[in-house]
């Protein structure tokens, strides 16, 4: 995600002053995590540019217990959604691009921050933000479905969450959607901006719900979900959710960890980050877009995130609890 540096700098500077009135509960307990000694655990080279682009990981176990990852990568000069297969949490191989063609709206030329779920009907769904211009960055939430994880995917004609008035806010663009199920309903959390990257002055965490398997969304509201700036929500089990986000800590970027019994909170956040920007090569400029993946057999938690050196590329990184 080459715009990631611009987005994160802008968000972190003022996010918590503008994301809503409710303050999170702070828990003075921090977990210790180890970075993988194999980091980066996944890379995707653009040979003609000598530049690597693999960002915004969403890692999950499929119905056969196999590890899969969808991520933002390059396809013919556009940011697209790609698939990788894992033989272990730290060993990944590229598979194919899943979503790269422009949909019928004509506005999703670039695609980022994808989130996968398997619907109740058995369809494979990918939610992502799409936009046509990297300068204006007028991103909206789109959804595509397929009978197989590898596609082919049918992209819905229009965004499932368009820009506009949402939760009584004038939303210029949308980033970072997360979708989880709770009490027979789908809950989406995302970030809404009030202007373009160069002009933004306010950002909100917005929630919405769906009762038709994610095809339409209503009940937009400001929520406390701890995903800003750039993070994801993971369902651990019924009435148990975890969220991770990037923010600043002692003049460095860091990843924070929070838990809740409902996707919209209230959230209990650890006072200390679980990971602080450290690696001088692969985390030189950023640690961003974190996500927690949980092994369904062992319950072990894996923290995936993006590290970056803006001159060389973006990589998928891994950390686990000590």
């Amino acid at each position: 995600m080459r715009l990631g540096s611009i987005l994160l700098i802008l968000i972190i500077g003022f996010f918590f002053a503008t994301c809503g009135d409710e303050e999170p509960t702070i828990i003075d307990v921090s977990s210790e995590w180890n970075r993988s000694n194999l980091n980066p655990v996944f890379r995707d080279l653009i040979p003609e540019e000598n530049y690597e682009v693999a960002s915004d990981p969403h890692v999950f176990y499929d119905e056969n217990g196999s590890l899969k990852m969808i991520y933002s990568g390059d396809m013919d000069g556009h940011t697209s959604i790609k698939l990788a297969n894992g033989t272990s949490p730290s060993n990944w191989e590229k598979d194919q691009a899943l979503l790269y063609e422009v949909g019928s709206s004509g506005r999703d030329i670039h695609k980022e921050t994808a989130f996968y779920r398997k619907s109740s009907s058995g369809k494979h769904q990918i939610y992502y933000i799409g936009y046509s211009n990297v300068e204006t960055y007028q991103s909206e939430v789109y959804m595509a479905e397929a009978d197989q994880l590898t596609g082919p995917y049918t992209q819905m004609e229009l965004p499932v969450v368009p820009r506009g008035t949402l939760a009584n806010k004038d939303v210029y663009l949308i980033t970072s959607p997360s979708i989880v199920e709770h009490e027979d309903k789908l809950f989406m959390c995302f970030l809404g901006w009030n202007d373009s990257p160069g002009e933004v002055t306010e950002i909100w965490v917005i929630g919405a719900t769906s009762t038709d398997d994610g095809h339409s969304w209503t009940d937009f509201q400001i929520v406390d979900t701890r995903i800003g700036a750039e993070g994801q929500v993971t369902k651990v089990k019924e009435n148990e959710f975890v969220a991770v986000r990037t923010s600043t800590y002692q003049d460095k970027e860091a990843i924070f960890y929070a838990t809740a019994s409902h996707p919209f909170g209230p959230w209990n956040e650890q006072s200390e980050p679980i990971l602080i920007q450290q690696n001088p090569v692969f985390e030189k400029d950023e640690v961003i877009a974190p996500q927690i993946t949980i092994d369904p057999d062992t319950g072990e938690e894996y923290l995936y995130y993006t590290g970056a050196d803006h001159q060389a590329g973006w990589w998928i990184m891994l950390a686990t609890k000590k």
Side-chain angles (χ1 to χ4, degrees):
M1 189 175 63
R2 300 191 197 192
L3 282 179
S5 58
I6 300 172
L7 305 185
L8 190 62
I9 290 168
L10 288 167
I11 295 174
I12 286 177
F14 55 78
F15 179 79
F16 293 104
T18 60
C19 67
D21 296 328
E22 185 174 0
E23 291 296 325
T25 301
I26 302 298
I27 299 177
D28 191 21
V29 177
S30 61
S31 300
E32 294 184 350
W33 292 67
N34 270 333
R35 289 171 170 80
S36 170
N37 58 10
L38 299 176
N39 275 340
V41 296
F42 184 72
R43 314 166 85 145
D44 192 348
L45 176 67
I46 308 173
E48 59 272 20
E49 296 185 22
N50 194 29
Y51 196 86
E52 295 181 309
V53 179
S55 183
D56 310 323
H58 183 221
V59 178
F60 58 95
Y61 288 82
D62 68 10
E63 61 269 31
N64 300 315
S66 298
L67 269 171
K68 305 291 181 179
M69 177 199 300
I70 55 174
Y71 65 98
S72 303
D74 183 86
M75 186 72 177
D76 298 329
H78 301 297
T79 309
S80 305
I81 308 306
K82 293 184 169 184
L83 174 69
N85 301 313
T87 57
S88 74
S90 59
N91 187 25
W92 294 88
E93 296 180 353
K94 289 188 293 184
D95 190 318
Q96 60 183 285
L98 298 179
L99 290 166
Y100 54 91
E101 295 181 346
V102 181
S104 57
S105 72
R107 302 198 298 265
D108 63 332
I109 295 173
H110 302 277
K111 303 170 178 61
E112 297 180 4
T113 61
F115 196 101
Y116 167 87
R117 70 176 292 266
K118 191 170 184 181
S119 73
S120 59
S121 65
K123 293 282 189 179
H124 298 266
Q125 295 182 337
I126 295 178
Y127 295 80
Y128 61 95
I129 62 167
Y131 56 97
S132 60
N133 185 292
V134 296
E135 281 77 32
T136 58
Y137 203 77
Q138 295 175 323
S139 52
E140 305 169 285
V141 180
Y142 291 82
M143 191 266 278
E145 287 186 322
D147 292 326
Q148 305 294 329
L149 174 60
T150 53
Y153 280 83
T154 300
Q155 297 167 246
M156 294 189 68
E157 183 176 350
L158 295 173
V160 292
V161 182
R163 304 163 57 242
T165 303
L166 302 171
N168 296 317
K169 303 294 184 182
D170 186 11
V171 176
Y172 176 89
L173 67 81
I174 298 169
T175 67
S176 307
S178 285
I179 298 90
V180 292
E181 185 177 354
H182 180 60
E183 296 180 345
D184 299 321
K185 186 184 294 186
L186 290 183
F187 291 78
M188 180 190 294
C189 307
F190 58 89
L191 302 181
W193 298 33
N194 75 334
D195 212 329
S196 61
E199 304 295 332
V200 60
T201 58
E202 194 169 8
I203 294 175
W204 313 278
V205 180
I206 300 176
T209 60
S210 173
T211 57
D212 64 355
D213 231 353
H215 290 87
S216 64
W217 295 85
T218 59
D219 192 24
F220 292 94
Q221 57 189 282
I222 302 298
V223 297
D224 180 42
T225 308
R226 311 305 291 166
I227 59 171
E230 292 212 2
Q232 293 184 29
V233 177
T234 300
K235 183 174 183 176
V236 180
K237 56 186 178 182
E238 198 61 38
N239 301 317
E240 189 175 340
F241 300 87
V242 61
V244 281
R245 64 179 179 90
T246 295
S247 187
T248 54
Y249 181 82
Q250 297 179 355
D251 299 324
K252 293 186 177 182
E253 291 183 1
I255 295 172
F256 288 80
Y257 183 104
T259 57
S261 59
H262 189 282
F264 291 170
W267 285 84
N268 301 316
E269 184 168 81
Q270 295 179 6
S271 60
E272 297 294 314
I274 62 173
L275 183 141
I276 302 171
Q277 184 179 11
Q278 176 178 302
N279 189 301
V281 177
F282 299 115
E283 299 174 9
K284 177 177 179 290
D285 291 312
E286 294 197 51
V287 292
I288 195 172
Q291 181 227 354
I292 295 291
T293 299
I294 299 173
D295 187 315
D297 294 326
T298 66
E300 185 172 0
E301 297 185 15
Y302 301 99
L303 171 66
Y304 289 93
Y305 62 100
T306 303
D309 174 348
H310 298 160
Q311 299 303 311
W314 307 76
W315 307 276
I316 307 301
M317 313 286 281
L318 171 66
T320 56
K321 284 186 177 180
K322 294 181 181 178

